[in-house]
């Protein structure tokens, strides 16, 4: 029996990316590739330090109380605030500065001041939101693990503390996945070794859970690093463009949402490709700027509307380093033609006073004779210094001077 099936259509090829907009995405990608690894290590080290700072006694008390205490939550919130202020904020500022350099490259006399730039408002506001979100996510994750452990009557407070500790720094779904993985490894070991000790099964499960948590921490660190750096980069480009508008270099602009133009683009962002909005208008997803979601690779390009720059800034070369316009030299009108005077063979043209010219000639002759005398003295000193010590002591200095003049 022959069965006929409908042929599947070939996969759609990704759209070709416009040349000018491709450079914007490539610059963002290059920056993320260079800056992301260091940020990942910083986040992982911070979570490891938080795990080591919490004792098993505190975790047992949290398990018996049914959740983390407010004191521990406030402590973690302070840790995240310090992390963002001292470590992550400089990384974000570097990302914003890198994006602003693209605007400065087009307008060499454009003045970009990071401390008062429009991008700093985005960074400060987003930094405060990140501190709150990280602390709250960590609290929800550990409370979920505590609730998961409480459903098993065989789990002791000590074992629950060992299950909770590796989950510090994970999100709620990640923490629950880790706790279930712990249960699966423990049950598999007990099934394979019916006569084994329960302590051995717990140890095996704890080691496997810790390795799994390390991979989860690194994955989450990569997600946070990529998302936050991309956010800061796009905010820097937006702030620099707004500053250039305020200084008169750019008129009104339209911001254009750009996707990565490959098969990995998510359905959320693929619908927004080439979507245009005004500078102060949000896109259709409610975002002012990318990223639209965690690990988003989108960027924004800015297209100036022709004829909207009514007060253009001075051209290159007319502003100083501080961005202040320089005074242009006033052009003098051409002088009237002077009548040609008869030339005197004893006085060159241009000297209307022969007496001054004769005095000038006399002074020049006098300086010439003095210079000749000084050069002769210098040559004499050179001769004296280069002769042997015996000849210098026996010779007559005055005769040498006289001979040098000759």
């Amino acid at each position: 029996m022959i069965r006929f099936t409908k042929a599947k259509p070939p996969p759609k090829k990704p759209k070709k990316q416009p040349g000018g907009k491709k450079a914007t995405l490539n610059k963002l990608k290059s920056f993320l590739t260079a800056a992301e690894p260091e940020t990942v290590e910083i986040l992982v080290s911070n979570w490891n330090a938080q795990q080591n700072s919490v004792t098993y006694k505190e975790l047992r008390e949290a398990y018996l109380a049914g959740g983390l205490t407010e004191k521990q939550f406030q402590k973690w919130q302070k840790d995240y605030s310090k992390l963002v202020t001292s470590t992550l904020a400089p990384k974000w500022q570097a990302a914003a500065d890198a994006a602003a350099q693209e605007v400065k490259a087009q307008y060499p006399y454009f003045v970009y001041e990071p401390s008062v730039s429009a991008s700093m408002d985005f960074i400060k506001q987003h930094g405060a939101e990140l501190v709150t979100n990280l602390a709250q996510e960590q609290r929800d994750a550990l409370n979920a693990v505590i609730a998961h452990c409480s459903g098993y009557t065989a789990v002791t407070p000590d074992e629950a503390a060992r299950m909770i500790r590796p989950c510090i720094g994970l999100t709620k779904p990640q923490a629950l996945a880790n706790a279930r993985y712990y249960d699966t490894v423990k049950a598999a070991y007990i099934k394979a070794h019916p006569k084994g000790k329960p302590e051995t099964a717990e140890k095996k499960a704890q080691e496997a859970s810790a390795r799994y948590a390390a991979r989860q921490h690194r994955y989450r660190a990569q997600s946070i690093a990529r998302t936050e750096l991309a956010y800061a980069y796009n905010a820097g480009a937006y702030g620099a463009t707004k500053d250039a508008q305020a200084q008169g270099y750019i008129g009104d602009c339209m911001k254009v949402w750009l996707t990565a133009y490959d098969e990995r683009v998510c359905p959320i962002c693929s619908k927004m490709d080439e979507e245009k909005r005004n500078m102060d208008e949000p896109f259709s997803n409610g975002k002012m700027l990318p990223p639209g979601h965690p690990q988003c690779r989108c960027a924004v390009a800015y297209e100036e509307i022709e004829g909207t720059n009514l007060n253009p800034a001075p051209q290159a070369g007319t502003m100083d380093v501080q961005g202040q316009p320089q005074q242009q030299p006033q052009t003098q009108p051409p002088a009237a033609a002077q009548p040609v005077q008869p030339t005197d063979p004893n006085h060159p043209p241009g000297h209307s006073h022969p007496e001054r010219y004769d005095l000038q000639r006399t002074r020049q002759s006098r300086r010439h004779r003095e210079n000749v005398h000084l050069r002769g003295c210098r040559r004499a000193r050179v001769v004296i210094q280069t002769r042997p010590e015996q000849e210098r002591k026996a010779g007559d200095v005055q005769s040498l001077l006289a001979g040098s003049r000759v």
Side-chain angles (χ1 to χ4, degrees), residues 287-298:
K287 302 283 186 179
M288 288 291 294
L289 296 170
H293 54 82
Q295 301 194 39
C296 180
R297 299 175 296 151
C298 296

Side-chain angles (χ1 to χ4, degrees), residues 231-249:
Y231 186 94
Y233 189 94
N234 285 296
Y238 177 82
T241 304
K242 294 281 286 186
D243 293 347
Q245 286 180 325
Q247 297 178 28
Y249 288 99

Side-chain angles (χ1 to χ4, degrees), residues 78-118:
K78 291 181 181 178
D79 291 344
Y80 281 121
S81 177
K82 183 179 179 181
L83 173 68
V84 169
T85 304
S86 61
T87 306
L88 296 183
K91 301 292 182 185
W92 298 341
Q93 186 61 61
D97 293 345
Q101 292 303 319
E102 303 301 328
V103 180
K104 191 170 180 60
Q106 299 178 14
Y107 310 98
Y109 288 86
F110 161 66
V111 179
Y112 174 72
E113 183 59 37
S115 59
V116 296
S117 175

Side-chain angles (χ1 to χ4, degrees), residues 61-320:
E61 293 176 353
Y63 172 73
L64 295 174
L68 291 174
T69 62
E70 187 65 24
K71 180 180 179 181
Q72 186 62 51
F73 174 74
Q74 295 294 335
K75 180 182 178 181
W76 282 340
Q77 197 166 20
K78 291 181 181 178
D79 291 344
Y80 281 121
S81 177
K82 183 179 179 181
L83 173 68
V84 169
T85 304
S86 61
T87 306
L88 296 183
K91 301 292 182 185
W92 298 341
Q93 186 61 61
D97 293 345
Q101 292 303 319
E102 303 301 328
V103 180
K104 191 170 180 60
Q106 299 178 14
Y107 310 98
Y109 288 86
F110 161 66
V111 179
Y112 174 72
E113 183 59 37
S115 59
V116 296
S117 175
S119 62
M120 287 304 299
D121 297 335
F122 280 92
I123 294 175
K124 291 179 181 178
Q125 180 182 359
H126 189 66
E129 294 174 356
L130 182 64
V131 170
T132 304
N133 293 339
L134 289 175
Q136 188 62 42
E137 285 179 355
Q138 188 159 305
R139 184 181 193 177
D140 295 342
L142 297 187
N143 286 339
V145 175
I146 291 173
H148 175 83
C149 296
S150 301
Y152 296 89
T153 57
V155 176
T156 62
D158 293 337
E159 184 180 0
R162 288 191 289 268
M163 293 177 62
I164 296 171
R165 192 170 192 177
C167 298
I168 295 177
L170 300 179
T171 61
K172 182 177 179 179
Q174 288 178 323
L176 290 175
N178 191 281
R180 287 192 290 266
Y181 181 70
Y182 179 96
D183 298 336
T184 302
V185 173
K186 180 180 177 181
Y189 184 86
I190 294 176
K191 183 178 180 180
H193 305 83
K195 298 182 179 180
K197 296 181 179 180
E199 294 81 4
T200 305
E202 294 177 5
K203 183 179 180 180
K204 294 293 183 181
Q206 182 181 356
E207 292 174 353
S209 174
R211 291 192 296 268
Y212 182 36
R215 295 194 299 271
Q216 288 177 309
H217 281 112
R218 185 158 294 275
Y219 176 80
R220 191 188 182 207
Q222 290 175 348
S223 177
I224 293 176
R226 185 172 303 172
T227 304
E228 302 306 322
L229 289 173
Y231 186 94
Y233 189 94
N234 285 296
Y238 177 82
T241 304
K242 294 281 286 186
D243 293 347
Q245 286 180 325
Q247 297 178 28
Y249 288 99
I250 307 177
D252 294 341
C253 291
M254 298 291 291
K255 54 184 181 181
V256 185
W257 190 287
L258 303 179
T259 61
Y261 292 92
D262 56 21
E263 64 279 358
R264 294 172 53 197
V265 177
C266 66
I268 300 175
C269 296
S270 61
K271 298 177 181 179
M272 300 181 57
D273 186 35
E274 299 290 336
E275 183 177 321
K276 297 183 179 181
R277 288 290 186 274
N278 293 325
M279 289 292 289
D280 298 326
E281 182 183 0
F283 287 97
S284 59
N285 60 355
K287 302 283 186 179
M288 288 291 294
L289 296 170
H293 54 82
Q295 301 194 39
C296 180
R297 299 175 296 151
C298 296
V300 165
Y302 299 92
E303 297 179 353
E304 184 178 4
I305 303 174
E306 296 182 2
T308 58
N309 193 2
L310 302 180
N311 297 312
Q315 299 298 323
T318 61
M319 298 188 73
D320 56 15

